Amino acid sequence: MASPVTPPRGMRDFLPADKAKRERVLGVIRQTYRAHGFDEIETPVMEDFGRLHAGLGGDNEKLAFNVMRRGLDAEALRAAAESDDPDALADLGLRFDLTVPLARFYASHRASLPQVFRSVQIAPVWRAERPQKGRYRQFVQCDIDIIGEAGILAEIELLTATLATLDALGLEGCRIRINDRRILLGLLEHFGFEASQNDSVLITIDKLDKVGPEGVVAELREKGSRPEAVEAIERFLAVSPPVLPEGVAPDAVADLARIESALAAAGVDGALVFDPFLVRGMGYYTGTIFEIEHPDFSFSLGGGGRYDGMIGRFLTESVPACGFSIGFERIIDLVADPAAGAGDAVALVHDKNAEPERLLALKRQLVARGKRVRLERRTKNLGPLLERLAEAGFGSFAQVGRETTDAAELEFKLLGG
């Protein structure tokens, strides 16, 4: 028995109908982002190894696919084996997100970009994940970023553009959980955690949705956190909705209030939900952070935040930056297929011996009228052929007669009716 022929684990093929839907949904996303003033860019699928492993990508750096240097000899292989450092064999890597490439892109082209740069990147990324349902090794990200705007206008534009995109896709019921890293760190200080433990404590807090308050408290105790700090966070978690203590990160609290007020003034009221324990795993976030939630799903549909420190790693000065990413693979199955233009897609069913010149002349006439045209050889039983055409998005068909030379003579019939 022959072995199944499949793509690599965690990667997928897309049949024509699936690919067509994906492109139509991406078209809606691109159109909406463009309407909000963002410009699309493209970056290489690979970046320098050192750049991908410079501490900018958080835990995702551990999931990077590395690319071996060309021309390796036996001595280089032995040296890497003896040093137990396989990374020494790599000089490039596949991008694991679009933010690190964007930071490099901005550093490369800053002189040619506006002072405040609004970018769109929609492209595949690769991570060495353990494949499972909804988690792939190759997947598409849809990122919008604003570089050069230090004020909350960046957050407001990102949030309104994202909410408009979700609305254009027909994803009803979405809200955005919002927090600020300054509030998180202020809370940890207020509770009495040691600053040196902040990263470890945040990793535990980030599990709140999965393990609940009891699980978070138990893990913090296991880690040896200060008992009084654990008791303080336990009391805080027992109050619903949580109330921020007086004096915790007042500037960040004021920024969140202004963001909410601005969205309400723009007619987007009730879309934000303050979550003081929203963490977002990326270590590079420095301020506002956000995630898209939907009442029917336990996972987020996207997220982002402010990462003011990243681009400065490539330049001699700090540059403010903020971004938002929609999880394309998570939403594609949730949205209805946008208008597929079936009325403009027609099929010409012809005999086996029909002259190619005549068929192409008819096709050319229809294409000139803005139609999408497919030539199909007539089968003994037309039913399955017509069903397949309807599934592929064709709206009508016509049978080509032996003497038909003018497309105006064709009699079209609807498909899928």
Side-chain angles (χ1 to χ4, degrees):
M1 185 175 180
S3 300
V5 182
T6 60
R9 291 186 66 231
M11 301 182 183
R12 297 165 292 165
D13 294 323
F14 296 105
L15 294 171
D18 296 325
K19 177 64 175 174
K21 178 186 176 182
R22 290 170 69 88
E23 290 302 320
R24 286 191 287 269
V25 172
L26 288 172
V28 172
I29 295 172
R30 282 190 168 95
Q31 182 178 5
T32 309
Y33 284 161
R34 183 172 179 80
H36 281 258
F38 292 83
D39 293 318
E40 189 164 4
I41 66 170
E42 183 175 330
T43 58
V45 302
M46 290 189 291
E47 293 284 348
D48 287 342
F49 177 91
R51 190 169 294 125
L52 291 174
H53 295 269
L56 303 177
D59 289 342
N60 287 332
E61 292 188 6
K62 302 173 184 176
L63 302 175
F65 282 102
N66 298 332
V67 179
M68 294 179 67
R69 289 186 282 115
R70 276 70 54 211
L72 289 169
D73 55 22
E75 183 178 349
L77 295 174
R78 276 195 302 270
E82 291 171 359
S83 65
D84 194 24
D85 182 18
D87 289 347
L89 302 175
D91 61 348
L92 299 171
L94 292 175
R95 62 189 178 204
F96 49 73
D97 71 5
L98 297 177
T99 307
V100 173
L102 172 64
R104 195 273 310 151
F105 173 93
Y106 183 83
S108 299
H109 303 284
R110 185 180 186 184
S112 303
L113 299 173
Q115 184 175 359
V116 176
F117 179 50
R118 296 166 175 82
S119 79
V120 177
Q121 269 196 104
I122 298 178
V125 299
W126 293 265
R127 294 179 191 170
E129 299 271 14
R130 177 173 295 176
Q132 54 187 292
K133 182 176 176 58
R135 191 178 292 275
Y136 307 104
R137 289 177 170 172
Q138 177 179 320
F139 54 95
V140 170
Q141 285 190 336
C142 303
D143 286 16
I144 48 174
D145 293 82
I146 298 180
I147 300 175
E149 173 55 66
I152 62 171
L153 179 60
E155 281 88 340
I156 293 167
E157 285 201 81
L158 291 168
L159 290 165
T160 53
T162 298
L163 288 166
T165 301
L166 296 173
D167 184 61
L169 293 171
L171 276 171
E172 300 179 354
C174 290
R175 297 194 302 176
I176 295 180
R177 297 162 63 204
I178 190 167
N179 195 16
D180 195 295
R181 279 276 177 157
R182 293 171 293 174
I183 292 175
L184 274 171
L185 297 178
L187 279 173
L188 297 190
E189 181 181 3
H190 176 83
F191 294 146
F193 289 100
E194 296 178 9
S196 61
Q197 291 187 320
N198 280 350
D199 289 345
S200 175
V201 173
L202 288 178
I203 289 172
T204 299
I205 291 174
D206 200 23
K207 302 175 185 177
L208 183 61
D209 289 344
K210 296 179 180 178
V211 303
E214 298 83 2
V216 167
V217 169
E219 184 170 317
L220 289 174
R221 287 194 173 116
E222 289 175 7
K223 287 183 172 182
S225 299
R226 288 177 175 174
E228 59 271 24
V230 177
E231 292 171 6
I233 196 172
E234 186 175 21
R235 290 192 298 270
F236 184 82
L237 288 170
V239 178
S240 182
V243 179
L244 279 181
E246 289 286 339
V248 170
D251 291 342
V253 172
D255 283 347
L256 293 188
R258 289 180 61 202
I259 291 171
E260 183 176 27
S261 175
L263 261 64
V268 186
D269 201 4
L272 298 184
V273 179
F274 173 59
D275 182 350
F277 280 153
L278 174 64
V279 174
R280 295 287 297 165
M282 297 299 191
Y284 53 63
Y285 290 126
T286 58
T288 319
I289 48 178
F290 18 75
E291 282 190 354
I292 305 169
E293 68 172 12
H294 190 283
D296 295 340
F297 305 98
S298 59
F299 50 81
S300 72
L301 301 182
R306 181 166 284 279
Y307 52 99
D308 287 346
M310 180 183 288
I311 296 175
R313 298 279 292 272
F314 298 111
L315 298 169
T316 57
E317 60 184 283
S318 179
V319 179
C322 196
F324 208 141
S325 178
I326 288 179
F328 181 72
E329 309 300 347
R330 291 189 168 184
I331 68 165
I332 185 63
D333 294 328
L334 306 180
V335 302
D337 195 351
D344 292 328
V346 301
L348 300 183
V349 180
H350 60 86
D351 291 333
K352 175 181 178 180
N353 297 323
E355 301 90 341
E357 296 82 1
R358 187 162 56 90
L359 294 176
L360 290 176
L362 292 169
K363 181 178 181 179
R364 185 171 60 250
Q365 294 173 41
L366 292 169
V367 168
R369 299 177 191 174
K371 301 290 186 182
R372 178 189 178 208
V373 185
R374 175 174 294 176
L375 299 175
E376 288 283 359
R377 183 182 298 176
R378 192 188 330 274
T379 57
K380 186 174 182 180
N381 182 358
L382 273 182
L385 171 61
L386 301 182
E387 288 179 9
R388 180 163 54 83
L389 286 168
E391 291 173 357
F394 287 84
S396 60
F397 77 102
Q399 300 199 49
V400 179
R402 297 192 177 192
E403 305 300 328
T404 307
T405 57
D406 189 340
E409 302 171 10
L410 295 170
E411 182 180 346
F412 285 96
K413 298 179 181 178
L414 294 178
L415 286 165

